[in-house]
Amino acid sequence: MAAASAARAPCIYLTHGGGPFPVIGGPGHAGLTKFLKAWPTSLPEPPKALLVVSGHWETAVPTVTSAPRPELIYDYHGFPPESYEINYPAPGDPQLADKVCSLLKAAGMECQKDAKRGFDHGTFIPLVLAFPKADIPVVQLSLAASLDPQLHIKMGEALAPLRDEGVAIIGSGSSFHNMPALFAAMGGMSEAGRAALQRSKTFDEWLQYVCTDPQLPYEKRAELLAGWRKAPEGQYSHPREEHLLPLHVCLGAGRGGAAKVVFDDLAMGVKCSSFQW
């Protein structure tokens, strides 16, 4: 892994869109695609490595990719042929994988390495747009299959020191992930589509409050996010929480401070946000 960087690398939770649509120009993704392409230009310097927590990989215990040259996993179905020809030959970083495991174990958590696992689309789709040269080493970290929100916040807290070594931590999911509602919203302004949009706005407003209000102490911020099911339209927005939990990791890795909203727009016909620490 590279030597320490002068500037702390960012930690960002981002909406990665529907399958390969951000890359191939799918409906309802123009704003998201524009954001993903422009985001790196806002950074004071490029990250030295990327640690991506994807909502598309769950294992019994947190697991990191440790292959020097991970392949791609096209874990989407029914898209145009060009969707399966997308290439992202970024190198892995076995040394960073070792460091991730060491930090998690030092904090009392289990961790495993997987030398065969490749990058799923929760990793390679946003990175194709954000870092198209594919010259920054990438390691992917799984969610724990327990989907315990407090565990994922603890994971982020343990991994926070990586940011001082120039490793950007990216939580890749979606701030709204109710698939029937997304299909309704992308299909136009039907009654169901309008309802999905309004309900997504309600939950997004709550998320922005929890993540960005400077008056909230970290303990309260973590308590609220861990209890997200009680939030207005929380369970509607996430019938299953795998696309939200990367945000919990990012909250912990943010070291307690308030985030800033870096994407605040419609994606797939509903309201979505991305947060950066």
Side-chain angles (χ1 to χ4, degrees):
M1 198 174 76
S5 170
R8 177 178 294 173
C11 174
I12 183 171
Y13 170 73
L14 53 83
T15 292
H16 62 233
F21 273 164
V23 172
I24 66 172
H29 286 74
L32 180 58
T33 296
K34 181 179 179 180
F35 161 69
L36 290 170
K37 287 181 175 180
W39 171 65
T41 65
S42 69
L43 304 180
E45 62 184 55
K48 297 190 178 299
L50 305 171
L51 174 61
V52 183
V53 184
S54 169
H56 288 278
W57 187 25
E58 300 171 28
T59 54
V61 300
T63 303
V64 292
T65 58
S66 58
R69 288 285 174 182
E71 298 181 352
L72 301 189
I73 302 172
Y74 300 99
D75 54 337
Y76 40 71
H77 308 282
F79 290 92
E82 62 266 28
S83 305
Y84 305 93
E85 297 173 359
I86 295 171
N87 190 32
Y88 196 71
D93 191 335
Q95 190 175 354
L96 175 56
D98 288 342
K99 185 66 177 290
V100 169
C101 273
S102 295
L103 289 170
L104 292 177
K105 289 178 179 179
M109 288 168 278
E110 296 182 75
C111 183
Q112 296 179 352
K113 292 181 289 183
D114 188 333
K116 296 183 179 180
R117 170 81 184 191
F119 299 142
D120 60 55
H121 81 270
T123 293
F124 74 80
I125 288 297
L127 296 188
V128 163
L129 297 169
F131 300 103
K133 293 182 180 180
D135 56 353
I136 300 176
V138 180
V139 166
Q140 184 174 328
L141 172 65
S142 75
L143 300 175
S146 66
L147 303 182
D148 180 345
Q150 293 176 324
L151 172 63
H152 288 84
I153 293 173
K154 185 180 177 184
M155 287 166 58
E157 293 171 347
L159 297 170
L162 293 174
R163 298 176 59 204
D164 292 319
E165 299 181 28
V167 179
I169 298 176
I170 300 175
S172 179
S174 180
S175 58
F176 183 92
H177 198 252
N178 177 325
M179 294 305 296
L182 285 170
F183 286 129
M186 290 178 67
M189 282 297 98
S190 63
E191 182 177 347
R194 288 193 295 271
L197 174 58
Q198 186 54 52
R199 296 177 77 174
S200 71
K201 288 180 177 178
T202 298
F203 181 65
D204 196 81
E205 182 179 339
W206 180 86
L207 271 186
Q208 291 202 19
Y209 160 69
V210 171
C211 293
T212 69
D213 190 320
Q215 301 303 315
L216 282 179
Y218 174 65
E219 292 75 16
K220 184 63 176 179
R221 205 184 302 279
E223 175 190 339
L224 287 170
L225 195 60
W228 65 271
R229 290 184 180 276
K230 300 176 184 177
E233 304 295 0
Q235 294 191 68
Y236 171 81
S237 300
H238 290 275
R240 192 173 187 274
E241 60 267 49
E242 80 284 348
H243 273 61
L244 185 64
L245 286 175
L247 175 59
H248 293 70
V249 179
C250 289
L251 180 81
R255 291 183 168 173
K260 63 179 179 179
V261 179
V262 290
F263 177 77
D264 185 2
D265 203 347
L266 298 186
M268 301 168 284
V270 297
K271 183 68 166 57
C272 290
S273 290
S274 294
F275 303 97
Q276 181 175 321
W277 284 264

